[in-house]
Amino acid sequence: MPDILGSYLKYARGDKRGFSPWSLLNFAGKLFSPFVKLRNALYDRGVLRSTDPPIPVISVGNLCHGGTNKTPMVEMLARRLTETGFSVGIVSRGYGGKTKAPLLIREDMREYGRELVGDEPLMLAIRLPEVKVVVARSRLDGVRFLRELGAEVVVADDAFQHRHMGRDADIVLIDATCPFGSGRLFPSGILREHKESLSRSDIAIITKSEQIPRERLAAIRSELAKWLPPERIFTARLALESWMILDKGGADKFEPPVGLSSPYGKFIAFSAIGHPDSFHSFLTSLGMDVAEKKTYRDHHRFSWRDINDLERVASEAGADGFVCTEKDVHNMPDALHMTRPLYIPRITVRIDDEESFFCTLAEVLEPNFVVTSNGYGEDAIGVILASRLKSEFPAAEVSAFTLVGSGKPYRDRGIDVISPPSELPSGGVIKYSLNALLGDMRHGLRDDIKKQIAAWRARKRRCRTPLCVGDVYLLAITLWGRGLAPLLAATAKSVHLSGHWGIERLLLRRRAVKVWTRDAETARDLVRARVNASFAGSPIMDIAEEEGGENPWDADVWREEDKALPRVLLLPGSRSRAYDDVSLLLEAVRLLDEKKHCRCVMVLAATIDRERLISGLPYDFEGCLNVGGARVFPHDGSIAAAARGADILIGLGGTANQVSAGLGVPVVSILEKGKLVQKKLLRDAELLVAPKPEALAEAAADLLGSPAKLKEMSDAGIKALGGAGAIAAIVEYAANELGWRIRCEIYEKLRAKWVRARHALPLSEPAEPIEPDAPENTDADSEIAGAAAGRPLRASVNPEFARIAMIIKRSKRRRGGGSSQ
């Protein structure tokens, strides 16, 4: 390596203090800094697209330019995962290679592969014949290709900055001998991005820890602990696996590993790696006599001129042979021959406390799925989706994020809600009334949105592709908070309304992984706009299908005597205005009963407080509301069961009105802006009248007296809403195309091998605390067991025991069921 390059590296790594001509680069580094921050911010907020790969990806990367032993670490992880029983792939960009499209490295590429794929991937493929090694300019395309080849899990080489591809675990390597260089960004330092980016990682490993004093290692740990929990910081060391030797012949004629502790004699050490000083330190630790050191830039392709120069240096020094790194072998000239033996140490990395590392990795890989919704009707669909996910993927953590309300429907079904509550006067972000929107703004809508974004930020590393149920506004908020492209069940927009706006189509095309529409016509319209959209059934009607087994006559909704009477279903709605609107419905029922005696059931949404609603009414309540001569029975259960037994609906609901219409129940509602929009969806299945009890009663009486009209409206509702099926299609897509099924399988296997095996945890029962007076237990064992059971650790207990105890506690909590966030 020319002296000028060596001088630059010393400055960039912080080895040279004070003023230097290289200090002029500081200005360039400061110019580079805002671009790095902007790029990360754009990915964090979904402005630049980040997409989940179809199978689990474990990224191994670093923060700095230069060698941190990424390749040996990738090799070690791939070996361990293969030993666990997985089909493993490795994806690399292939520095120095010419290939762009994904390319599998094959056995016959040894002679010319370096030109195509680069030195490090070629070396990995040779050392790991049982692992599929793919090189691709786009790592996401490479992972997709590996999936086609049968890989179940992928280790991504040098992918920490490759944010276009999502990842399940981010492992960042820190070189103990030069952790952050001068602390400046490239080109005035060796940092690729700021140290704060470590907060994006899941695990940090300090490599080459054996090459620095213990005090310095502790200082590096302390620095990393600013961005990572201490129990997720590990150390690793270089270890000699074996030696290779070239006595004569071409570079592909290296002898198999020989059992040498180290070669004897005086040697010329040469290398073209990111941090050659660590290679020299490693040789010194082996007791080798290095007469001369020759260094070249990373990935340097050796020429015959370089070989002749090395021969000259060896002659002048009286050397007995040469020594270089294994990576350098793949950059040698074809048919290499040297006058002295060339020795190559085969190096591996060993993680200190490897079992704890893999326990932590298993914990990081725990699948975490989030369903997000932005309305009470959307919550009803989201609850079904989340419940199906819990049933389909029992190993996963499934939670909900609601933009409107407190998430009570989810909690009622045992699903954790991770969003802050948002109780607004309108009940949500209103599209139809500027005054209602302004009221929400005065009530704190902006602060609610800030809190929701902050809640997403707090979990940005913990969940996979979000599943959105609602509109494009929900998708945009989720994207801005999570940064990862979501799926969308588009329940709000339809071509039967105004359709999607141009900006909405653009966002769906560029940032939605896939969209399921509420009708086939809308799907065709979005496909023409190049959106990945399809129709698999109405998400609205999935509510009815979920409750399809419930017979209205057996579900305490309608009584046997009701069969002889016209049956009227009442829906006051799910928003806060229902407490006022219910009086309009009940007065209409009183007037209707005077014309035609009916049986009435009023279904209350989960968001409505039954006691508050009934106590505010001027009617007697003794199991039912006595409204004049009519009796109205409140029902807290299934809307679908109630609708299946009804002849007609007088309703002010949104989604519930649509579910009823889809089940063939004619709808009578009031003439207002929101219902005019709904009328475009329900078409001839809905009749709108003036918001007066007399108008509602007269319209209902006319319909009940006209069987032909009832049949016409019933058929129109069934046709307008279509059948169910969207939720089943979404779950199936997530399982296969998003790789959620294989993620759960891999997590279960890793947990079984590392967590359960290490701590002897049973599959279905929590571990019992170890009795402190048991003769076979040490004090440390007792402390660990006590901590796992909830007792505090003594101050003197080793932090490693605390880490083990924490893993046990988390395992117990997962087996015992989730808790609310």
Side-chain angles (χ1 to χ4, degrees), residues 142-173:
V143 173
R144 288 169 177 158
F145 182 51
L146 279 165
R147 184 198 185 195
E148 293 174 6
L149 296 173
E152 297 173 307
V153 60
V154 172
V155 182
D157 182 21
D158 197 14
F160 187 57
Q161 285 77 32
H162 187 74
R163 299 198 59 188
H164 175 63
M165 176 181 69
R167 64 287 311 275
D168 298 72
D170 250 317
I171 300 173
V172 175
L173 307 184

Short mmCIF file of all heavy atoms in Angstrom, two decimals, residues 142-173:
data_model
loop_
_atom_site.label_atom_id
_atom_site.label_comp_id
_atom_site.label_asym_id
_atom_site.label_seq_id
_atom_site.Cartn_x
_atom_site.Cartn_y
_atom_site.Cartn_z
N GLY A 142 -31.87 -10.88 -3.96
CA GLY A 142 -31.07 -12.05 -3.64
C GLY A 142 -31.77 -12.98 -2.65
O GLY A 142 -31.72 -14.21 -2.79
N VAL A 143 -32.43 -12.40 -1.66
CA VAL A 143 -33.16 -13.21 -0.68
C VAL A 143 -34.35 -13.91 -1.35
O VAL A 143 -34.62 -15.09 -1.08
CB VAL A 143 -33.64 -12.33 0.50
CG1 VAL A 143 -34.54 -13.13 1.43
CG2 VAL A 143 -32.44 -11.81 1.28
N ARG A 144 -35.04 -13.20 -2.22
CA ARG A 144 -36.16 -13.83 -2.94
C ARG A 144 -35.66 -15.00 -3.78
O ARG A 144 -36.32 -16.05 -3.87
CB ARG A 144 -36.84 -12.79 -3.82
CG ARG A 144 -37.65 -11.76 -3.02
CD ARG A 144 -38.08 -10.60 -3.87
NE ARG A 144 -38.93 -9.66 -3.11
CZ ARG A 144 -39.09 -8.38 -3.45
NH1 ARG A 144 -38.49 -7.88 -4.51
NH2 ARG A 144 -39.87 -7.60 -2.70
N PHE A 145 -34.50 -14.83 -4.40
CA PHE A 145 -33.91 -15.91 -5.20
C PHE A 145 -33.53 -17.09 -4.31
O PHE A 145 -33.77 -18.26 -4.66
CB PHE A 145 -32.69 -15.37 -5.95
CG PHE A 145 -32.02 -16.37 -6.85
CD1 PHE A 145 -32.75 -17.09 -7.78
CD2 PHE A 145 -30.66 -16.59 -6.75
CE1 PHE A 145 -32.12 -18.01 -8.61
CE2 PHE A 145 -30.03 -17.50 -7.57
CZ PHE A 145 -30.77 -18.21 -8.51
N LEU A 146 -32.96 -16.81 -3.14
CA LEU A 146 -32.61 -17.88 -2.21
C LEU A 146 -33.85 -18.64 -1.75
O LEU A 146 -33.80 -19.86 -1.57
CB LEU A 146 -31.87 -17.29 -1.00
CG LEU A 146 -30.39 -17.01 -1.22
CD1 LEU A 146 -29.84 -16.11 -0.12
CD2 LEU A 146 -29.59 -18.30 -1.28
N ARG A 147 -34.95 -17.93 -1.58
CA ARG A 147 -36.19 -18.62 -1.21
C ARG A 147 -36.60 -19.60 -2.31
O ARG A 147 -37.03 -20.72 -2.02
CB ARG A 147 -37.29 -17.60 -0.98
CG ARG A 147 -38.59 -18.24 -0.48
CD ARG A 147 -39.74 -17.31 -0.69
NE ARG A 147 -40.97 -17.85 -0.11
CZ ARG A 147 -42.18 -17.40 -0.39
NH1 ARG A 147 -42.33 -16.42 -1.23
NH2 ARG A 147 -43.25 -17.92 0.18
N GLU A 148 -36.47 -19.17 -3.56
CA GLU A 148 -36.80 -20.07 -4.67
C GLU A 148 -35.89 -21.29 -4.68
O GLU A 148 -36.30 -22.38 -5.11
CB GLU A 148 -36.67 -19.32 -6.00
CG GLU A 148 -37.70 -18.21 -6.20
CD GLU A 148 -37.44 -17.42 -7.46
OE1 GLU A 148 -36.54 -17.82 -8.23
OE2 GLU A 148 -38.13 -16.41 -7.68
N LEU A 149 -34.66 -21.11 -4.19
CA LEU A 149 -33.70 -22.22 -4.15
C LEU A 149 -33.93 -23.13 -2.94
O LEU A 149 -33.22 -24.13 -2.78
CB LEU A 149 -32.27 -21.68 -4.12
CG LEU A 149 -31.82 -20.90 -5.37
CD1 LEU A 149 -30.45 -20.28 -5.13
CD2 LEU A 149 -31.80 -21.81 -6.59
N GLY A 150 -34.88 -22.77 -2.07
CA GLY A 150 -35.21 -23.61 -0.94
C GLY A 150 -34.64 -23.17 0.39
O GLY A 150 -34.78 -23.88 1.39
N ALA A 151 -34.00 -22.00 0.45
CA ALA A 151 -33.47 -21.51 1.72
C ALA A 151 -34.61 -21.15 2.67
O ALA A 151 -35.66 -20.64 2.25
CB ALA A 151 -32.57 -20.29 1.50
N GLU A 152 -34.41 -21.40 3.96
CA GLU A 152 -35.40 -21.09 4.99
C GLU A 152 -35.01 -19.85 5.80
O GLU A 152 -35.87 -19.18 6.36
CB GLU A 152 -35.57 -22.27 5.93
CG GLU A 152 -36.09 -23.52 5.27
CD GLU A 152 -36.09 -24.70 6.20
OE1 GLU A 152 -35.02 -24.99 6.79
OE2 GLU A 152 -37.14 -25.35 6.34
N VAL A 153 -33.73 -19.60 5.91
CA VAL A 153 -33.23 -18.45 6.65
C VAL A 153 -31.98 -17.95 5.95
O VAL A 153 -31.22 -18.74 5.39
CB VAL A 153 -32.96 -18.81 8.13
CG1 VAL A 153 -31.91 -19.90 8.24
CG2 VAL A 153 -32.53 -17.59 8.94
N VAL A 154 -31.77 -16.63 5.97
CA VAL A 154 -30.66 -16.03 5.24
C VAL A 154 -29.81 -15.19 6.18
O VAL A 154 -30.34 -14.45 7.03
CB VAL A 154 -31.18 -15.14 4.08
CG1 VAL A 154 -30.04 -14.36 3.44
CG2 VAL A 154 -31.87 -16.00 3.03
N VAL A 155 -28.50 -15.31 6.03
CA VAL A 155 -27.56 -14.42 6.70
C VAL A 155 -27.10 -13.41 5.66
O VAL A 155 -26.57 -13.79 4.60
CB VAL A 155 -26.36 -15.18 7.28
CG1 VAL A 155 -25.43 -14.21 8.01
CG2 VAL A 155 -26.82 -16.28 8.22
N ALA A 156 -27.34 -12.12 5.92
CA ALA A 156 -26.99 -11.07 4.97
C ALA A 156 -25.66 -10.46 5.36
O ALA A 156 -25.50 -9.95 6.47
CB ALA A 156 -28.08 -9.99 4.94
N ASP A 157 -24.71 -10.52 4.45
CA ASP A 157 -23.35 -10.02 4.69
C ASP A 157 -23.28 -8.52 4.44
O ASP A 157 -23.65 -8.05 3.35
CB ASP A 157 -22.38 -10.77 3.77
CG ASP A 157 -20.93 -10.35 3.98
OD1 ASP A 157 -20.62 -9.80 5.06
OD2 ASP A 157 -20.12 -10.55 3.07
N ASP A 158 -22.84 -7.77 5.45
CA ASP A 158 -22.62 -6.32 5.33
C ASP A 158 -23.88 -5.59 4.90
O ASP A 158 -23.91 -4.86 3.91
CB ASP A 158 -21.49 -6.05 4.32
CG ASP A 158 -20.94 -4.62 4.46
OD1 ASP A 158 -21.24 -3.96 5.47
OD2 ASP A 158 -20.22 -4.18 3.53
N ALA A 159 -24.97 -5.76 5.67
CA ALA A 159 -26.27 -5.22 5.26
C ALA A 159 -26.83 -4.17 6.22
O ALA A 159 -27.99 -3.78 6.07
CB ALA A 159 -27.27 -6.36 5.10
N PHE A 160 -26.04 -3.71 7.19
CA PHE A 160 -26.60 -2.77 8.17
C PHE A 160 -27.07 -1.48 7.50
O PHE A 160 -28.08 -0.90 7.89
CB PHE A 160 -25.57 -2.47 9.26
CG PHE A 160 -26.12 -1.65 10.40
CD1 PHE A 160 -27.22 -2.09 11.13
CD2 PHE A 160 -25.56 -0.43 10.76
CE1 PHE A 160 -27.73 -1.35 12.19
CE2 PHE A 160 -26.05 0.32 11.82
CZ PHE A 160 -27.15 -0.15 12.53
N GLN A 161 -26.34 -1.02 6.49
CA GLN A 161 -26.72 0.21 5.79
C GLN A 161 -27.67 -0.05 4.63
O GLN A 161 -28.16 0.88 4.00
CB GLN A 161 -25.47 0.94 5.26
CG GLN A 161 -24.67 1.66 6.34
CD GLN A 161 -23.83 0.72 7.18
OE1 GLN A 161 -23.36 -0.30 6.68
NE2 GLN A 161 -23.65 1.06 8.45
N HIS A 162 -27.95 -1.32 4.32
CA HIS A 162 -28.82 -1.66 3.19
C HIS A 162 -30.27 -1.67 3.68
O HIS A 162 -30.87 -2.72 3.91
CB HIS A 162 -28.44 -3.01 2.60
CG HIS A 162 -29.17 -3.34 1.35
ND1 HIS A 162 -28.90 -2.75 0.14
CD2 HIS A 162 -30.20 -4.19 1.10
CE1 HIS A 162 -29.71 -3.23 -0.79
NE2 HIS A 162 -30.52 -4.11 -0.22
N ARG A 163 -30.86 -0.49 3.83
CA ARG A 163 -32.15 -0.38 4.49
C ARG A 163 -33.33 -0.62 3.57
O ARG A 163 -34.48 -0.65 4.04
CB ARG A 163 -32.25 0.99 5.17
CG ARG A 163 -31.16 1.19 6.23
CD ARG A 163 -31.49 2.30 7.17
NE ARG A 163 -32.74 2.05 7.87
CZ ARG A 163 -33.34 2.94 8.65
NH1 ARG A 163 -32.79 4.14 8.82
NH2 ARG A 163 -34.48 2.66 9.24
N HIS A 164 -33.09 -0.77 2.30
CA HIS A 164 -34.18 -1.11 1.38
C HIS A 164 -34.80 -2.45 1.76
O HIS A 164 -35.99 -2.67 1.53
CB HIS A 164 -33.64 -1.15 -0.05
CG HIS A 164 -34.65 -1.61 -1.07
ND1 HIS A 164 -35.82 -0.91 -1.33
CD2 HIS A 164 -34.69 -2.70 -1.89
CE1 HIS A 164 -36.52 -1.54 -2.25
NE2 HIS A 164 -35.86 -2.63 -2.60
N MET A 165 -34.00 -3.32 2.35
CA MET A 165 -34.48 -4.64 2.77
C MET A 165 -34.70 -4.65 4.27
O MET A 165 -33.81 -4.31 5.05
CB MET A 165 -33.46 -5.73 2.39
CG MET A 165 -33.83 -7.12 2.87
SD MET A 165 -32.58 -8.35 2.43
CE MET A 165 -31.22 -7.84 3.51
N GLY A 166 -35.91 -5.03 4.68
CA GLY A 166 -36.14 -5.24 6.11
C GLY A 166 -35.34 -6.43 6.59
O GLY A 166 -34.81 -7.21 5.80
N ARG A 167 -35.21 -6.55 7.89
CA ARG A 167 -34.47 -7.69 8.45
C ARG A 167 -35.08 -8.07 9.79
O ARG A 167 -35.71 -7.24 10.46
CB ARG A 167 -32.98 -7.42 8.58
CG ARG A 167 -32.53 -6.33 9.52
CD ARG A 167 -32.80 -4.92 9.05
NE ARG A 167 -32.38 -4.62 7.70
CZ ARG A 167 -31.14 -4.26 7.36
NH1 ARG A 167 -30.23 -4.12 8.27
NH2 ARG A 167 -30.85 -3.97 6.12
N ASP A 168 -34.90 -9.32 10.17
CA ASP A 168 -35.47 -9.82 11.41
C ASP A 168 -34.53 -9.60 12.59
O ASP A 168 -34.97 -9.51 13.74
CB ASP A 168 -35.78 -11.31 11.28
CG ASP A 168 -36.81 -11.58 10.20
OD1 ASP A 168 -36.49 -11.44 9.00
OD2 ASP A 168 -37.95 -11.91 10.55
N ALA A 169 -33.24 -9.54 12.31
CA ALA A 169 -32.25 -9.28 13.36
C ALA A 169 -31.09 -8.51 12.74
O ALA A 169 -30.62 -8.85 11.66
CB ALA A 169 -31.76 -10.57 14.00
N ASP A 170 -30.66 -7.46 13.42
CA ASP A 170 -29.52 -6.66 12.98
C ASP A 170 -28.38 -6.84 13.97
O ASP A 170 -28.47 -6.39 15.11
CB ASP A 170 -29.91 -5.17 12.91
CG ASP A 170 -29.98 -4.66 11.49
OD1 ASP A 170 -29.08 -5.01 10.70
OD2 ASP A 170 -30.92 -3.92 11.18
N ILE A 171 -27.34 -7.52 13.53
CA ILE A 171 -26.14 -7.71 14.36
C ILE A 171 -25.07 -6.76 13.84
O ILE A 171 -24.72 -6.79 12.66
CB ILE A 171 -25.65 -9.16 14.30
CG1 ILE A 171 -26.73 -10.12 14.81
CG2 ILE A 171 -24.37 -9.33 15.10
CD1 ILE A 171 -26.39 -11.58 14.62
N VAL A 172 -24.55 -5.93 14.72
CA VAL A 172 -23.51 -4.97 14.34
C VAL A 172 -22.20 -5.36 15.03
O VAL A 172 -22.17 -5.61 16.24
CB VAL A 172 -23.91 -3.53 14.74
CG1 VAL A 172 -22.78 -2.56 14.45
CG2 VAL A 172 -25.16 -3.11 13.98
N LEU A 173 -21.14 -5.43 14.22
CA LEU A 173 -19.83 -5.79 14.73
C LEU A 173 -19.00 -4.53 14.99
O LEU A 173 -18.99 -3.61 14.17
CB LEU A 173 -19.09 -6.69 13.74
CG LEU A 173 -19.86 -7.94 13.26
CD1 LEU A 173 -18.96 -8.78 12.36
CD2 LEU A 173 -20.36 -8.76 14.43
#
